[in-house]
Amino acid sequence: MVLTRDFKETVKERAARDPAFAKAMLDEAATAFLNDEPHVARLILRDLVNASVGFEALAAETHRPSKSLHRMLSEKGNPSMDNLAAIFGAVRKRLGVVIEAHVVEAV
């Protein structure tokens, strides 16, 4: 009997049932991107897309092929700024939030 669950499935299920968690994931993805951690942002966005919008619906909304979106949000993906903005926009819209950036003093 397996006593552990797959981490990705756990995150996906939690984001799907807990809107606050999904919003926190979006916040983390945006913060990671703006703080020079695009690889982290892509992976968080990938999990969030899987849990909220889904890649097929994201493809329809962004007018980009789902396979391309999968590649963009892979560990070695390299989405353009336009594609990244479209992905953030679709997820933001699905979650019913706006994204605001705030500058704070570095520690």
Side-chain angles (χ1 to χ4, degrees):
M1 183 164 92
V2 177
L3 298 177
T4 61
R5 296 184 65 194
D6 181 55
F7 177 76
K8 287 183 181 184
E9 283 302 311
T10 301
V11 170
K12 180 179 176 181
E13 288 175 12
R14 171 107 187 256
R17 78 173 189 283
D18 184 352
F21 184 73
K23 291 172 188 173
M25 287 179 70
L26 181 60
D27 184 62
E28 278 299 311
T31 300
F33 176 73
L34 293 172
N35 284 306
D36 198 28
E37 295 181 288
H39 58 287
V40 173
R42 285 191 308 271
L43 297 178
I44 293 170
L45 274 176
R46 180 187 62 200
D47 290 342
L48 185 54
V49 166
N50 274 322
S52 61
V53 181
F55 276 93
E56 293 304 319
L58 181 64
E61 189 162 334
T62 61
H63 308 289
R64 289 152 178 93
S66 65
K67 286 191 180 230
S68 293
L69 292 166
H70 275 281
R71 280 192 299 274
M72 287 178 211
L73 297 180
S74 71
E75 196 164 335
K76 294 184 180 187
N78 190 18
S80 69
M81 288 295 287
D82 289 344
N83 287 330
L84 199 54
I87 294 166
F88 269 111
V91 174
R92 180 194 59 74
K93 182 178 170 186
R94 176 61 59 105
L95 297 179
V97 298
V98 296
I99 298 174
E100 293 181 357
H102 301 275
V103 177
V104 296
E105 293 292 324
V107 185

